[in-house]
Amino acid sequence: MKKLSVFLILLCLVFSLAAPVWAIGSPVVDLADLLTEDEEAYLEEKAKDITSEYSMDVVILTVRSTYGEDVSAYADDFYRTKGYGIGSKDSGVILMLSMEDRDWVIRTFGDGKEAMTKYGIDKLMEDHVLPAFKKDNFYIGFLSYLENLDTYFEAYQCGEPIDRPINIPLMILISVGVGALVGLITILIMK
């Protein structure tokens, strides 16, 4: 009986120490009170669906102020200290909005860095999110962000993350020009 009691105590201790590793924070943390409870609940459900489908944590954070800290550093610290991230690389993405300066940032981690290029982030925000934010319609902005994030993660999984389009005619023209220049230099040297 004594061995069983010791075993159960040790088992409880192991699980209590492992709990912080398993505990995942809410995907929507609205510290600036920009969303209603229903809006927050719907966005959380949508973020959890994306996280589940693509194995990348999706986090939305609103704050009133970063208290002088850079928004990128603030978002990074929040993501890491709250235990977000999926897998060994802590893959995920966080969109943070600070109301003090109306400043925003999207930070990526692990596979999220490959899925969300700088061009992709800028395009997503300019085309889908910032127009709603400018009208103070934060729920629509966050919803649009989540609805379009799906497209970026899907493209990444297919091996073609959304990035700056390649101008093929320009690339051909540059290649022909460089080839002609190399050929001309070779002929001049031989002469």
Side-chain angles (χ1 to χ4, degrees):
M1 185 69 175
K2 188 175 182 181
K3 287 182 182 181
L4 180 62
S5 297
V6 170
F7 175 75
L8 289 176
I9 291 171
L10 287 175
L11 187 62
C12 288
L13 182 62
V14 166
F15 282 113
S16 69
L17 292 174
V21 174
W22 295 337
I24 296 176
S26 174
V28 179
V29 181
D30 183 25
L31 301 176
D33 292 323
L34 303 176
L35 305 167
T36 67
E37 285 183 25
D38 290 340
E39 290 171 341
E40 194 171 329
Y42 185 76
L43 292 173
E44 282 185 8
E45 195 60 40
K46 195 123 180 81
K48 286 178 182 177
D49 289 345
I50 295 169
T51 296
S52 174
E53 185 172 348
Y54 297 102
S55 297
M56 283 193 251
D57 238 340
V58 176
V59 182
I60 294 173
L61 169 65
T62 69
V63 296
R64 290 196 173 110
S65 172
T66 60
Y67 305 101
E69 188 175 358
D70 175 69
V71 287
S72 294
Y74 193 99
D76 285 355
D77 290 345
F78 183 85
Y79 186 90
R80 289 189 177 107
T81 59
K82 298 301 181 188
Y84 292 104
I86 304 289
S88 62
K89 296 192 271 182
D90 292 331
S91 297
V93 59
I94 182 171
L95 166 59
M96 185 184 119
L97 176 63
S98 173
M99 294 307 293
E100 182 178 39
D101 298 321
R102 300 285 291 221
D103 204 1
W104 63 270
V105 68
I106 292 180
R107 299 295 292 167
T108 56
F109 306 87
D111 291 335
K113 288 183 181 188
E114 305 295 322
M116 298 296 295
T117 64
K118 176 160 178 21
Y119 172 81
I121 290 170
D122 291 343
K123 184 162 180 50
L124 172 64
M125 292 301 289
E126 288 170 14
D127 292 353
H128 303 287
V129 181
L130 293 179
F133 282 3
K134 287 177 184 172
K135 296 177 185 172
D136 289 342
N137 199 338
F138 301 107
Y139 171 70
I140 295 299
F142 292 132
L143 182 60
S144 183
Y145 165 74
L146 293 175
E147 288 174 345
N148 287 283
L149 199 58
D150 218 11
T151 304
Y152 289 80
F153 286 174
E154 182 69 31
Y156 168 70
Q157 279 192 340
C158 293
E160 298 180 16
I162 296 173
D163 205 354
R164 192 169 312 281
I166 298 172
N167 188 340
I168 293 178
L170 179 64
M171 296 302 287
I172 291 171
L173 185 63
I174 290 172
S175 297
V176 169
V178 169
L181 182 63
V182 169
L184 179 63
I185 291 171
T186 305
I187 290 172
L188 289 174
I189 290 173
M190 290 173 52
K191 206 172 185 185

